[in-house]
Amino acid sequence: MAGDDTIDSAISHLPADPSRPATVLFADVSDSTRLYETAGDKIAHAAIGTCIEAMTRAAEAAGGRVVKTIGDEVMAIFRMPDAAAAAAAEMQAAVDQMPIIAGAKLGLRIGFHGGPVIQKDNDVFGDTVNLAARLVATAVKGQIITSSNTAKLLNPVIRSSIRELYKIQIKGKAEEVILCEMVWRRTDEDTTVFASSRLKARTGTSVLRLKYRNKEVSRRRDNDTVDIGRDIECGIMIADTMASRRHCTIEHRHEKWLLKDHSTNGTFVTVEGDTELLLRREELTLRKHGWIACGQSRSSTQEVVEFFVE
């Protein structure tokens, strides 16, 4: 990430040693381009500015330093992963409280990763920065993504809110990087918490059934997930050349079944009785009965997954 806007923090600068361990966090406002189109420049600029201020306050409150901002994105650095995780949750919570703007609900995409960094002239460089930037690019609206290596360094309470996702290949790295999501939510008392460590068991949970060819998969518990894609390790391995290896994930969150697209070509979802929707790095709540096509419209392929939420 490059830019001229450096925001000074009231906290002390990190030590002068040019190479040291740290945790780098990127956060950006999702769908900001669309916001400018629908709300107009003045309103959109003010709304994004409010988001930037909230992200800055959260970073500094957690003991971090905002290195710089560019457009709708903030880059911050922290001494430890726990601080970055706390800041990320607070950022999401703060923006989640903001009012709807021109029919759009604002949300953030956040990624953070820990490792050695090079600090020079109040900026930060290196492989850790590059990987953190890749993580935020992988996240969808309302999501916090970290690497499995960083997740292992978190304290047990925060780590209990981490769920493993899938692997991605990073250019220049021999091994794939395992992605993890940090689940967060807001309680009725408007207090930010790490969800999976404090959610109580629920009764009457809905059941998700997926049918593909001769295979049927069922999920019913909190934090249950199923991957769909060409990879043999996916819960449903789909035989469509337009599908990505890990194309999309369906997870149980807040008593709902959410489909999240991770793919190159997008995920086409049709809820019975509704118009087909195309998701591109977005998420959608599945309901009742419908169909999922990977990489191309349902009308163009026979490789379709049928879903039931019961």
Side-chain angles (χ1 to χ4, degrees):
M1 175 176 170
D4 298 321
D5 298 329
T6 301
I7 300 180
D8 292 329
S9 170
I11 66 170
S12 300
H13 287 292
L14 296 173
D17 182 358
S19 179
R20 63 181 302 277
T23 302
V24 178
L25 177 149
F26 284 94
D28 68 32
V29 182
S30 179
D31 295 329
S32 60
T33 300
R34 189 182 306 173
L35 183 63
Y36 275 99
E37 293 173 352
T38 57
D41 291 350
K42 185 176 180 179
I43 293 176
H45 181 74
I48 291 172
T50 301
C51 291
I52 295 293
E53 292 174 1
M55 290 188 278
T56 300
R57 287 195 299 270
E60 294 180 351
R65 174 170 69 89
V66 172
V67 178
K68 55 190 173 184
T69 67
I70 180 169
D72 62 357
E73 188 172 52
V74 163
M75 173 185 175
I77 186 170
F78 302 83
R79 296 181 184 275
M80 301 296 292
D82 284 354
E90 181 56 34
M91 289 178 185
Q92 291 284 16
V95 173
D96 187 58
Q97 279 188 294
M98 294 180 184
I100 293 175
I101 305 295
K105 178 66 176 174
L106 298 177
L108 302 179
R109 303 184 306 153
I110 300 178
F112 66 90
H113 176 65
V117 298
I118 298 173
Q119 299 182 66
K120 182 179 179 182
D121 299 330
N122 290 326
D123 209 344
V124 184
F125 307 91
D127 183 65
T128 298
V129 177
N130 296 336
L131 182 50
R134 179 67 187 275
L135 296 182
V136 74
T138 303
V140 297
K141 180 179 178 181
Q143 194 173 39
I144 301 170
I145 296 293
T146 188
S147 63
S148 61
N149 287 342
T150 301
K152 293 173 183 175
L153 302 175
L154 296 168
N155 75 57
V157 173
I158 300 178
R159 196 163 60 243
S160 68
S161 74
I162 296 291
R163 51 180 294 273
E164 189 173 304
L165 296 178
Y166 53 94
K167 299 177 182 178
I168 60 172
Q169 185 65 55
I170 303 291
K171 185 177 180 180
K173 287 187 174 294
E175 297 182 357
E176 292 182 313
V177 175
I178 301 173
L179 301 186
C180 295
E181 178 181 13
M182 190 181 85
V183 182
W184 66 277
R185 75 179 183 101
R186 183 168 293 277
T187 66
D188 293 338
E189 291 77 23
D190 288 333
T191 303
T192 302
V193 298
F194 296 110
S196 57
S197 63
R198 305 197 185 182
L199 285 175
K200 296 181 179 179
R202 300 183 178 96
T203 59
T205 299
S206 63
V207 177
L208 171 72
R209 288 196 299 118
L210 301 173
K211 295 177 65 177
Y212 174 67
R213 293 189 176 183
N214 296 323
K215 181 172 184 177
E216 182 166 333
V217 172
S218 296
R219 296 288 188 272
R220 66 178 67 243
R221 296 180 307 222
D222 281 349
N223 300 322
D224 263 356
T225 65
V226 59
D227 292 323
I228 300 173
R230 289 188 293 106
D231 195 295
I232 193 172
E233 295 183 358
C234 288
I236 292 184
M237 186 178 71
I238 189 165
D240 194 326
T241 57
M242 297 296 289
S244 299
R245 290 179 62 248
R246 284 285 202 282
H247 195 93
C248 61
T249 300
I250 302 175
E251 67 174 46
H252 193 222
R253 192 202 308 166
H254 302 168
E255 300 184 7
K256 297 180 180 179
W257 292 101
L258 298 177
L259 182 147
K260 298 193 296 182
D261 172 70
H262 315 298
S263 69
T264 301
N265 297 320
T267 302
F268 293 77
V269 181
T270 307
V271 176
E272 187 174 20
D274 291 350
T275 304
E276 185 176 66
L277 298 175
L278 171 59
L279 305 180
R280 292 188 180 276
R281 301 302 175 101
E282 298 170 297
E283 62 181 40
L284 176 72
T285 300
L286 300 182
R287 53 189 175 84
K288 298 182 180 179
H289 172 232
W291 300 267
I292 301 165
C294 298
Q296 56 184 317
S297 173
R298 176 188 167 208
S299 62
S300 303
T301 179
Q302 295 182 344
E303 305 302 327
V304 176
V305 179
E306 188 175 13
F307 69 83
F308 303 84
V309 178
E310 302 167 333

